[in-house]
Amino acid sequence: MKSYQFFIFFIYIFCLPIFGQNELPLHIDDAQIKPLSNLSNPLLQKSLEQELNKIPAWKKLISENKMAVGVIDLSNPEEAKYAGINGNQMMYAASLPKIAILLAAMDAIEKGQLTETPEITEDMKLMISNSNNQASTRMIDRLGYAKIESVMTDKKYNFYDKTNGGLWVGKRYATGGITNREPLKQLSHAATVAQVCKYYYLLANGKLINNKRSKQMLDIMEKPALHHKFVSTLDLIAPDARLFRKSGTWKNFHSDSVLVWGKEATRRYILVALIDDPNGESIIRNLVIPIEKVLKKALIL
């Protein structure tokens, strides 16, 4: 009987952090949320570099600053781990920065600057799930560039900083109209994998605006309508996992970002990639399995 009680106690103590964190957003105290620099893990970093550099074409792109990858291990949410390659390399990111519009819209709704109508809710869903440019442009026009910039540069988030840049939307997803390009490289739609990883990390923990708004954003980002890049591989290897995602493509620029939330704790992570290459779509699609290998290796080490 004592052995049985000890077994139950062991399961409760050591597995509660996993079993108790099945729902998103997570419920972690603000004090436990760390800057991305504090999440950096040397073992995960080394493993990521070794795995990606095995492929000569990827190694070349990385050396030319044309391939950036970031990952956050959420297998134990209270001990999240980050690793990145070219993490602060800002690149043109096409539609991926529409997540900045989503956050700015939710911030405006929360502050009473924008009324939450069925039309706006539908446009936010179309903007993220379908990457609809018309809906995205309508949201930009409702908010204005100044509002989007103010949220991205807000000290609460600091998703865009004067040193490395970050998330930025400074052009409508349509022809015509004024622009508000970011100051470092004059990009209209920009991102770094580090800032996008941070965005998803805060979102998963319910820290974008508040838990309620983070939940709304997660609902909008879940079950993407487009099944390419990361999602095409995840559909095959993890069909039961919940996926929260935004991607982007324009000419040689390919980007993707996803929060993967599997039933098993070992498949819970954030993955972001920015590629400047004609084969970017297939590179991103082929990244998932090596990244999962890196994550599983990190659990053993």
Side-chain angles (χ1 to χ4, degrees):
M1 184 66 180
K2 287 184 178 180
S3 296
Y4 175 78
Q5 290 173 332
F6 177 81
F7 175 76
I8 295 298
F9 176 79
F10 177 89
I11 292 294
Y12 179 81
I13 293 297
F14 291 97
C15 296
L16 184 61
I18 295 175
F19 296 150
Q21 293 285 16
N22 282 324
E23 294 302 317
L24 291 172
L26 301 170
H27 296 279
I28 294 177
D29 292 338
D30 289 348
Q32 292 180 285
I33 301 298
K34 303 171 184 176
L36 207 63
S37 58
N38 290 6
L39 299 180
S40 294
N41 182 272
L43 293 177
L44 184 64
Q45 182 69 34
K46 182 179 179 181
S47 181
L48 178 65
E49 291 173 1
Q50 289 177 340
E51 192 65 30
L52 298 194
N53 283 321
K54 285 179 181 178
I55 300 176
W58 295 8
K59 185 176 181 178
K60 183 174 185 292
L61 287 172
I62 289 167
S63 68
E64 294 173 346
N65 293 328
K66 291 185 175 182
M67 180 172 177
V69 180
V71 61
I72 296 182
D73 176 6
L74 292 175
S75 56
N76 180 356
E78 294 181 1
E79 294 294 334
K81 302 179 182 71
Y82 168 75
I85 293 177
N86 289 328
N88 291 320
Q89 182 66 33
M90 185 170 59
M91 298 169 66
Y92 183 77
S95 290
L96 191 158
K98 290 174 183 177
I99 60 174
I101 305 172
L102 178 63
L103 175 57
M106 284 295 178
D107 185 83
I109 290 169
E110 180 69 15
K111 293 175 178 175
Q113 299 165 345
L114 183 67
T115 303
E116 192 173 8
T117 65
E119 291 78 13
I120 285 175
T121 300
E122 178 66 14
D123 271 353
M124 289 191 292
K125 183 66 177 178
L126 286 171
M127 173 177 71
I128 299 298
S129 184
N130 300 78
S131 202
N132 183 280
N133 285 338
Q134 290 77 22
S136 305
T137 296
R138 287 193 293 269
M139 291 306 303
I140 291 171
D141 291 345
R142 289 176 180 126
L143 294 164
Y145 295 131
K147 174 62 182 180
I148 299 170
E149 179 180 347
S150 71
V151 176
M152 292 305 101
T153 57
D154 190 324
K155 291 181 180 179
K156 180 180 178 181
Y157 307 121
N158 206 29
F159 287 133
Y160 184 95
D161 66 67
K162 295 178 180 179
T163 303
N164 299 308
L167 271 170
W168 189 276
V169 174
K171 185 181 182 299
R172 300 161 83 238
Y173 287 90
T175 57
I178 62 171
T179 60
N180 180 39
R181 295 175 184 272
E182 56 81 30
L184 292 180
K185 294 186 176 182
Q186 294 297 300
L187 296 174
S188 56
H189 306 120
T192 64
V193 296
Q195 294 293 13
V196 178
C197 280
K198 182 172 71 174
Y199 181 106
Y200 277 87
Y201 170 66
L202 294 176
L203 179 63
N205 284 293
K207 306 305 180 185
L208 289 188
I209 305 173
N210 54 43
N211 195 273
K212 175 187 173 182
R213 296 300 180 190
S214 291
K215 176 66 167 60
Q216 283 183 275
M217 293 170 67
L218 285 164
D219 289 344
I220 288 169
M221 296 179 74
E222 190 170 12
K223 297 179 181 178
L226 304 178
H227 288 251
H228 60 349
K229 299 178 184 173
F230 288 152
V231 176
S232 64
T233 300
L234 288 163
D235 281 344
L236 296 175
I237 67 172
D240 297 327
R242 298 175 68 189
L243 305 180
F244 308 82
R245 184 271 192 123
K246 187 71 199 83
S247 66
T249 300
W250 186 75
K251 295 186 177 181
N252 287 348
F253 296 97
H254 301 266
S255 58
D256 209 352
S257 59
V258 66
L259 164 61
V260 181
W261 200 253
K263 291 181 180 179
E264 63 279 12
T266 53
R267 184 169 270 146
R268 294 180 179 178
Y269 59 88
I270 294 160
L271 177 59
V272 182
L274 301 173
I275 313 286
D276 176 5
D277 187 81
N279 297 316
E281 198 281 338
S282 63
I283 293 171
I284 290 174
R285 187 179 349 114
N286 292 326
L287 262 173
V288 176
I289 291 176
I291 291 298
E292 291 210 348
K293 181 180 177 181
V294 167
L295 291 166
K296 288 175 183 177
K297 183 178 178 181
L299 285 174
I300 298 171
L301 294 174

